[in-house]
Amino acid sequence: MTRPISHDRAGTQRPRAGLDTRPEARLEARLRAGLQGEVRFDRFTRGLYSTDASIYQVEPLGVVFPESAGDVRRAVELAGEHGTSVIVRGAGTSQSGQSIGRGVILDTSRGLDGVLDFDPAARRVVVEPGIVLDRLNAFLRPHGLFFPIDVATASRATLGGMAGNNSAGSRSVRYGHMVEHVRGIEAVLADGRRAWFGRDARGGPARTSDPREGSGPPPAELEADLRALHTREADELARRVPDVPRHVAGYALHRLGREGAGLSDLLVGSEGTLGLFTALELDLQPIPAVRALGVCRFDGTAEALAAVPAIVALEPTAVELFDATVLGLAAQMPSFERVLRQLGEDGGSRPRDILVVEFAGDDPDAVSASLSALESVMEGVAAGVARAESAELQGRIWALRKAGLNISMSQPAARKPLAFIEDCAIPLERLPEWYRRLTEIIDRHATHAVWYAHASVGCLHVRPALDLREGDDVERLRAIAVDAFSLAGELGGSHSGEHGDGWIRSEFLEPMLGARLVSAFGEIKRRFDPEDRLNPGKIVDPPRMNDASLLRARHGLEIRKLPTALDWEKWGGFAPAVDMCNNNGTCLKRSPGVMCPSFRATSDERHSTRGRANALRLALSGQLGDDPWTAPELYEAMDLCLGCKGCRLECPTGVDMARMKVEFLHRLRAEQPLSPRDRAFAYLPRYAPLASRLAPLVNLRNRIPALARLGEQVAGLAADRPLPRWSSRPFSGASRPFSPDPGGPRVALFVDTFTRYFEPGIARAAVRVLGGAGYRVEIATTAGRPLCCGRTFLNAGLVEEARIELDRTVRALSRFVARGIPVVGLEPSCLLTLRDELPALDPGPEAAAVAERARLLPEWLVEEDALSRLELAPLPVRRVRVHGHCHEKAFGADGPTLEVLGAIPDLEVEAIPAGCCGMAGSFGYEAEHADISRRVAELELLPAVRALEADEWLVTNGTSCRHQVADLADARGRHVATVLDAASRPRGQSVDAAVRRLRKLRGRHGNLSVAEILAFRDEGRR
Ligand SMILES: Cc1cc2nc3c(=O)[nH]c(=O)nc-3n(C[C@H](O)[C@H](O)[C@H](O)COP(=O)(O)OP(=O)(O)OC[C@H]3O[C@@H](n4cnc5c(N)ncnc54)[C@H](O)[C@@H]3O)c2cc1C
Ligand code: SF4
Ligand code: SF4
């Protein structure tokens, strides 16, 4: 027996009298006992799942991670018995509030993400709902097939969520929506029954025998009732449903009249309100052999839109608009700067707007002919057409398109472009009028908007900028929606073309479709879910779209001016920087890339960039207790952040979590002093000179297992991880230039603590390489101990200590910079601290000048064109595989290493497509993090390293990366300086001859110690 419930329009349960006073605790216990999957009802998880990519925030009772269809069924039954609603979700990237609510959330993306059945010949696959689109397509690719609904969120959107929203992608002009490709759905209904809903002959499932246990055909009366409802409403549907290719508003009752339609057609787009999908049977498409893009440039948005009908007549697979605002913002982002340059989008020559037109097919000549046709149709219409035929350039253009929405969000302003009228689909010939009149509406309401996306089907994403913390803008939200939707209706369009209804558009179904159809939707809902348990308040019986109690802004990430250790001015403060996260979920991607390794290794929202940004937002807005900085949940979220800066590069709105972690740790330090172990890591640069003198003693820990075990017990140092070996002959700084050519150009070498004390050979190799290229090398030094970038202090949140180090370093390096001498460094995390954190700590002109001139060795060799000055000979290996340090990648500084190595004769150079190595400074040595560190490394790096052949070298410039591969794969990683040194050592010259040469140099410059010369000799012999 299930208990009846009632709820308000946001899905709040109002328990009937007599229920347990703490029903959620009982429900949690029963769910834990009854399900295989994890159950979390804690405050933090509830906070993390209280938002999706919409403007809303509503805290659920708890979250369940089902592992099987049986878990889904059991969760629905138990929730029903407790009078609680159920909201199913995938990645939670919906923008209309349809994946949040006050009941129990079921997240399918972790445990229900398998491929159940695949028939390549029939081009058919059966999947679980939590599988991510990109992963499905990676599985299908070897078979020449793909699933063609290419949503911009493909890297994290789940097939269940795509079906729930009836999603459509950029290529919908060719492939349509989800509904056209879903052949059948297995769903758990509100009463816990599991049924198969197929397309096919009326009254029966497409699959006559279903192998899945417990799944049967839909109840016959349900099918009959809904068919009867369709027949009854056929005339009204014909009259009211807009005749545009994009229309996903309400339930798709109109589809039941189509040839071959089944109840699955009605379930697609039902936003989790009719049934919870546990399996989807999908139609697949062959991958076209050739794709090509024509990028048409226009002088204005209206001109671009006027050209759309003529372009669509050429039968492209996509036509996508980017307006001037989106292009302007993209041009400021490191990851898109290059593609815009490739398209000629720089500075003055940048056009106002572009239409990206794609043609695809199996015949290259036909595709090329289509591009030519585009060029001739656009003659005199567009300002120009650029062809993009290489896969590489097309990939970059599509990446720009996919990030379009987030780019528009990347403006650090109180008013942000919001998704609420972004989904109107307008007949093509009326697009210019839509643009003109909607712009007038937006102007009238005293704001502005960005325009981009699916011009081919008249669905342009228009996002007016509003600040919902302001009461006026909350009213404006509604007023703009009312005006825009009424205009869309007048022009024969639909107000809901892609992103679903949720809380944002459901209340407007009636003005568009009429009271009669909205009442029919209510009948459908009651037929499936009479007690309104499944995702209540969406599509049927919705709240007002600007109901203040639902708005995320209500929880006011009070943009209170917080005193901060770092400079956050670029974002307008720390809180606004946190607020840049709009929950779009790019950081939840599973595919290789730099962001976000801790999520990829754990599949846990808490350990994603989004989870961390939300944790900070919750903490700063007082939702995790009074003191924002000491909430244990915040610590939990930050703990596994590796500080890899992947988000700095890849988060499309520019959330820089590594920097936020420094700020967080700094605040935490005020409450919680460092442990002795963390102190030892942080202060390493200070005691390094002494430790290296005691190297044989200190290194004993690595040789005596009992000491290592003791270290784990007492200090939490992972016993199975050898610590970096101290060199007893560290690199000693020389104050006078070192050069075979005293008249040569000068360069200052910044030798960091790690290189100096653990791998001094790298610094010596760099000196030889630079000297060999004819440069006078000056080692940057200062009085007292060697220079340091403060990295280890920053990692521990000891900002003031880092500042002390950086002050010394800036003073020392400024002496070179002031004389126009470039500063070159070797260790990416150290040198790039000078470019990244230094300006955030010290906004002065000296620091800015150092930050501007500091370069990694390969960067500088490329910029200076110094490679041509090196005489490079072949190496004894055929190929090098290069693993870029994550900070190098975050600064686009990994490319030069490939370029430099490419100058070595007869050498193949290939990058390993991996993100962070997982070591991340001291992270991998910490006992509690050793496992996660290994899991991160196992994502791509270690498999690639293990696959190295005898005639291949691994090149990696990060000291952490070299230790990680040595410890976990027993492999040697080489710094680019040592590789260049090996390639530039004159063949046939004996080591002793080289030493004699050095002695001669010493005689000339007097700045090399005997130890230095011996070290040079040792390395030369190795
Ligand atoms: C930056 C950005 C770009 C976007 N671009 C596009 C685009 O190009 N095209 C497009 O169509 N959309 C787009 N969207 C919207 C959204 O990403 C897509 O609709 C996506 O398909 C949702 O997938 P998800 O896994 O995040 O679903 P969720 O948001 O988790 O869920 C979506 C809906 O489906 C329901 N649902 C989820 N799983 C199930 C299930 N197992 N059974 C029944 N119902 C279920 C949920 O209750 C919810 O109502 C974009 C969103 C963002 C933030
Ligand atoms: S952190 Fe960045 S990528 Fe992740 S959800 Fe937020 S805005 Fe998107
Ligand atoms: S710094 Fe790296 S680990 Fe931390 S949130 Fe960003 S991508 Fe994830």
Side-chain angles (χ1 to χ4, degrees), residues 156 406 580-588 595 608-611 613-614 647 650-655 657:
R156 65 278 190 197
N406 305 312
M580 292 301 291
C581 173
N582 66 353
N583 275 349
N584 65 68
T586 309
C587 50
L588 306 185
M595 173 177 73
S608 67
T609 319
R610 175 167 90 171
N614 274 322
C647 40
E650 291 186 354
C651 166
T653 71
V655 171
M657 192 52 65

Side-chain angles (χ1 to χ4, degrees), residues 861-883:
L861 289 172
V862 169
E863 275 176 32
E864 274 283 306
D865 202 16
L867 279 176
S868 53
R869 307 174 74 162
L870 288 171
E871 277 179 40
L872 298 172
L875 290 170
V877 283
R878 173 182 59 88
R879 185 161 82 143
V880 288
R881 298 209 68 201
V882 182
H883 168 67

